[in-house]
Amino acid sequence: MKQFAVIGLGRFGTSVATSLYKMGYEVLALDSSEEKIQAIVNDVTHAVVADATDEAALKALGLGNCDVVVVAIGQDMQASILATLVLKASGVKRVVAKAQNDLHGKVLEKVGADQVIYPERDMGVRVANNLVSTNVLDHIELSEEHTIAEVLVPESFFSKTLGQLNLRARYGLNVLAIKRNEQILISPTADDYLLKGDIIIVLGEKDRLARFQHK
Ligand code: ATP
């Protein structure tokens, strides 16, 4: 089984360490703060107070045998860089290091980090993507304002009729057709149900379609 170590138990490091432990992996958590170690002692396999820049201490703890070590020290860039350097020198296969900014990240790469992560930035990108992630599979722009789109039916629409959903009044969208498996139902009526897996072909204003996508 893979062995992990997490160095630096801020919010990020704590989350990584406890999540891996919950998934059933062996996790060694290390921090120079006694308080941080006390707080995590029941949620990881081993928790040790040590200075991550102390090469002898890291060796004595056997960190070189870990498959992956996450360096999650944030503010103290010097410590994070030194720890990364020492870990790679002691033979850790994979060091994942958290960077505060671009320059920090570049230095981490230079000293041997196998992966550099920017948690705040990466999460920001993910949240932004989620916010605009759509059920729209395809679309044809009819004009600056109007579009025809193929939309995967959202869960909240399952087993409801077009009449109940009232998409025309609520979103200004006209349902031109429903695609179900290999069949296509042209000009559906208010009594037609939408089912899981259905794709509706709608005509409407782009802006209103965008709002509909976020439902
Ligand atoms: P987060 O944003 O994840 O909450 P952060 O980026 O603000 O954290 P810090 O709080 O600066 O990160 O550092 C995380 C932890 O790293 C702290 O608990 C700190 O005690 C520990 N730490 C700092 N330097 C060392 C070191 N040389 N050896 C071991 N642990 C260290």
Side-chain angles (χ1 to χ4, degrees):
M1 190 171 50
K2 267 195 175 173
Q3 305 232 347
F4 292 93
V6 178
I7 298 181
L9 304 169
R11 289 162 302 175
F12 175 73
T14 299
S15 171
V16 173
T18 56
S19 302
L20 287 167
Y21 184 66
K22 276 189 204 138
M23 287 179 220
Y25 290 100
E26 279 203 16
V27 181
L28 167 70
L30 186 149
D31 201 293
S32 51
S33 147
E34 170 88 46
E35 210 178 305
K36 290 282 170 69
I37 291 302
Q38 284 306 326
I40 204 167
V41 77
N42 293 322
D43 300 315
V44 291
T45 321
H46 304 289
V48 187
V49 181
D51 181 346
T53 62
D54 180 346
E55 194 170 351
L58 296 193
K59 283 210 173 113
L61 287 166
L63 261 93
N65 301 324
C66 286
D67 299 292
V68 184
V69 179
V70 179
V71 179
I73 300 170
Q75 309 295 324
D76 189 346
M77 289 192 201
Q78 188 177 326
S80 109
I81 293 161
L82 277 176
T84 302
L85 188 69
V86 169
L87 290 163
K88 277 316 281 184
S90 38
V92 177
K93 282 183 219 119
R94 187 170 165 78
V95 174
V96 178
K98 163 180 142 147
Q100 290 284 85
N101 54 45
D102 278 338
L103 188 58
H104 185 197
K106 283 199 182 110
V107 178
L108 288 169
E109 273 170 24
K110 282 261 185 279
V111 299
D114 299 282
Q115 188 183 354
V116 176
I117 43 172
Y118 304 82
E120 291 86 0
R121 184 195 300 178
D122 296 349
M123 198 52 175
V125 171
R126 276 186 70 173
V127 169
N129 276 329
N130 271 340
L131 291 173
V132 297
S133 83
T134 73
N135 289 340
V136 173
L137 307 173
D138 205 352
H139 72 281
I140 304 166
E141 289 197 9
L142 295 180
S143 69
E144 294 257 326
E145 289 109 48
H146 294 93
T147 187
I148 292 180
E150 275 195 330
V151 182
L152 188 62
V153 169
E155 201 175 336
S156 56
F157 288 8
F158 294 172
S159 305
K160 296 205 172 103
T161 65
L162 290 179
Q164 287 168 331
L165 291 166
N166 205 5
L167 300 182
R168 194 173 298 149
R170 282 165 69 201
Y171 303 103
L173 295 176
N174 291 288
V175 180
L176 305 178
I178 301 171
K179 276 187 176 177
R180 183 171 299 151
N181 304 321
E182 302 306 312
Q183 295 184 335
I184 182 153
L185 176 64
I186 306 286
S187 300
T189 68
D191 297 325
D192 282 313
Y193 280 91
L194 293 181
L195 305 176
K196 185 177 178 181
D198 281 357
I199 292 165
I200 47 175
I201 299 166
V202 294
L203 163 65
E205 284 176 31
K206 272 191 210 164
D207 289 351
R208 300 196 74 180
L209 179 69
R211 253 174 279 155
F212 165 79
Q213 286 164 31
H214 299 153
K215 290 293 144 196

